[in-house]
Amino acid sequence: MKKCDVCGTLNFKDNNYCTHCGNKFIFEHVCPYCGSINEDYANFCANCNGQINPISINDFDILFSEFNENCLLNAKISDEKYNDLLRNIFLRADFTEIHGNTIKDKILNLASIFTQCKPKSRGYERGFIFLGNYIYYDDRLDESVQIATIIHELAHYLIFSIIESLLCDIFNVKTSTTLQSFIWYFLMIPEFKIMNEYCAHTVEGRFIPYGYQNYGSFNLLVKNTSFDEDSIKTMEMFGNSFANEIIIYLEKYIGNDLRQEIKLQYKMDLKSPSYDSILMETDECFNLNDKNRMLLKILYDVFKEASNPNVICELKNIKEGIDLN
Ligand SMILES: [Zn+2]
Ligand SMILES: [Zn+2]
Ligand SMILES: [Zn+2]
């Protein structure tokens, strides 16, 4: 038996987690590279210097343990730390050259650095599907519309990624389908959905020519909710803050040359701009620290709500869906 150093409960020797509080026990770290056994707290193998990875959460009881709840409740994220997380998400794009015969292929190639993109040619629904984190684009649409869709859905994927890295950092774990199920649940709460949609429209709008901006799905969500104007305004500012973070990075990869090619594609497709959504854009956003404080607060509230058995049932269904893909 071993005693948990957080809550004092006696646990079986082979347990990886405290059965009472969910505290992570790792008495020995086996190096994934050379097999050497390392100290509990080691980050790097004493023998070969390989990185010893954190563990992953594979069970909802563990996810919603008191220990993790406290981690989230007390979580603080400095601007520097947050910027590190962002940098890490975009890092792989720095090491990949974007190629493609057409501008749509190039944008598709960029999005594929982050997640899988799949064409479809049936039904209305297009977008970012949680079952496997795919971006779907309909290849029957004009190339310009496909470009806009891919950038829009990439923004949704990036929001997912940001929340994922944030939670991995807070819980000090690797990602897992259990953790991802919670993120999907979180992304489905109405407030966050509205802000997420505003963000994706804004990111898309940055890279397509003036006048073609479109806030369709955001407007639809707003129409179907009973939030007051002030709350909607807050969600817009929240979404705009995320959009600015994403745009700064994407501008590095969708530079001036590619933006010119996108403009040409719109001309080739002979679409006329409607100019009706340009007024939806705003400069207003929260400063990074305030935005992240708000984000952590909502994450904590939703975490508490999700730990309730009814919601865990829902999470298990989501997880099954992800695991099947
Ligand atoms: Zn314990
Ligand atoms: Zn080693
Ligand atoms: Zn969307």
Side-chain angles (χ1 to χ4, degrees), residues 197-254:
E197 218 39 68
Y198 187 89
C199 168
H201 284 302
T202 305
V203 172
E204 166 197 342
R206 162 65 186 102
F207 297 100
I208 63 177
Y210 185 88
Y212 293 92
Q213 285 63 24
N214 169 5
Y215 281 80
S217 18
F218 168 80
N219 289 331
L220 196 69
L221 282 176
V222 170
K223 215 179 100 187
N224 293 327
T225 59
S226 48
F227 290 114
D228 59 37
E229 236 173 84
D230 280 354
S231 314
I232 300 285
K233 183 83 213 156
T234 307
M235 293 169 213
E236 278 183 28
M237 280 173 69
F238 203 39
N240 205 39
S241 312
F242 270 114
N244 287 346
E245 294 167 10
I246 292 173
I247 286 169
I248 288 173
Y249 276 97
L250 286 187
E251 278 176 345
K252 272 169 67 181
Y253 314 113
I254 311 175

Side-chain angles (χ1 to χ4, degrees), residues 258-293:
L258 292 194
R259 295 202 296 273
Q260 290 305 326
E261 286 183 49
I262 294 176
K263 281 185 192 166
L264 279 176
Q265 187 63 54
Y266 271 79
K267 289 214 168 83
M268 269 158 64
D269 292 346
L270 296 174
K271 299 185 82 68
S272 24
S274 66
Y275 299 105
D276 64 349
S277 281
I278 203 81
L279 288 172
M280 292 287 305
E281 293 188 345
T282 165
D283 280 333
E284 286 179 88
C285 58
F286 294 107
N287 80 44
L288 188 57
N289 201 268
D290 290 345
K291 188 218 80 185
N292 284 337
R293 263 217 315 268

Side-chain angles (χ1 to χ4, degrees), residues 152-153 156 196-197 200-201 217:
H152 179 108
E153 302 310 332
H156 280 314
N196 196 346
E197 218 39 68
H201 284 302
S217 18

Side-chain angles (χ1 to χ4, degrees), residues 13-261:
K13 196 174 166 287
D14 290 334
N15 286 7
N16 291 324
Y17 293 90
C18 172
T19 51
H20 178 66
C21 72
N23 178 31
K24 180 174 77 183
F25 296 131
I26 300 173
F27 280 69
E28 294 169 338
H29 264 315
V30 179
C31 171
Y33 302 100
C34 73
S36 299
I37 292 169
N38 284 271
E39 301 274 2
D40 186 3
Y41 47 79
N43 289 320
F44 293 95
C45 174
N47 179 41
C48 75
N49 209 28
Q51 190 174 10
I52 295 169
N53 294 321
I55 49 104
S56 60
I57 297 172
N58 297 313
D59 189 302
F60 290 106
D61 289 343
I62 295 162
L63 176 62
F64 296 115
S65 66
E66 217 178 303
F67 178 77
N68 281 343
E69 190 194 319
N70 283 326
C71 284
L72 193 51
L73 177 65
N74 300 316
K76 287 196 179 64
I77 178 104
S78 66
D79 292 359
E80 201 188 353
K81 177 95 210 173
Y82 184 80
N83 286 326
D84 274 350
L85 292 178
L86 277 184
R87 223 185 335 271
N88 262 314
I89 292 173
F90 287 97
L91 199 61
R92 57 194 128 164
D94 289 340
F95 294 96
T96 318
E97 204 163 328
I98 295 164
H99 55 82
N101 291 325
T102 63
I103 178 64
K104 189 203 92 184
D105 285 349
K106 288 177 193 168
I107 298 300
L108 197 55
N109 188 244
L110 170 69
S112 309
I113 295 173
F114 298 97
T115 188
Q116 264 183 289
C117 303
K118 294 186 169 186
K120 66 178 278 291
S121 56
R122 188 163 297 177
Y124 173 74
E125 204 56 33
R126 57 176 197 250
F128 180 40
I129 313 286
F130 75 77
L131 301 173
N133 277 357
Y134 300 131
I135 289 177
Y136 280 96
Y137 60 97
D138 196 318
D139 61 12
R140 296 168 299 179
L141 293 162
D142 276 344
E143 302 268 296
S144 52
V145 181
Q146 292 184 54
I147 291 169
T149 308
I150 296 165
I151 297 174
H152 179 108
E153 302 310 332
L154 177 60
H156 280 314
Y157 171 78
L158 290 168
I159 290 281
F160 179 93
S161 256
I162 291 171
I163 308 289
E164 189 181 40
S165 342
L166 198 59
L167 288 176
C168 284
D169 186 74
I170 292 169
F171 298 143
N172 188 25
V173 294
K174 288 188 279 200
T175 192
S176 60
T177 51
T178 305
L179 188 70
Q180 289 181 343
S181 323
F182 170 68
I183 299 167
W184 280 112
Y185 177 82
F186 175 72
L187 293 174
M188 285 185 286
I189 66 158
E191 293 92 326
F192 211 83
K193 228 169 141 176
I194 292 175
M195 101 78 214
N196 196 346
E197 218 39 68
Y198 187 89
C199 168
H201 284 302
T202 305
V203 172
E204 166 197 342
R206 162 65 186 102
F207 297 100
I208 63 177
Y210 185 88
Y212 293 92
Q213 285 63 24
N214 169 5
Y215 281 80
S217 18
F218 168 80
N219 289 331
L220 196 69
L221 282 176
V222 170
K223 215 179 100 187
N224 293 327
T225 59
S226 48
F227 290 114
D228 59 37
E229 236 173 84
D230 280 354
S231 314
I232 300 285
K233 183 83 213 156
T234 307
M235 293 169 213
E236 278 183 28
M237 280 173 69
F238 203 39
N240 205 39
S241 312
F242 270 114
N244 287 346
E245 294 167 10
I246 292 173
I247 286 169
I248 288 173
Y249 276 97
L250 286 187
E251 278 176 345
K252 272 169 67 181
Y253 314 113
I254 311 175
N256 202 30
D257 289 357
L258 292 194
R259 295 202 296 273
Q260 290 305 326
E261 286 183 49

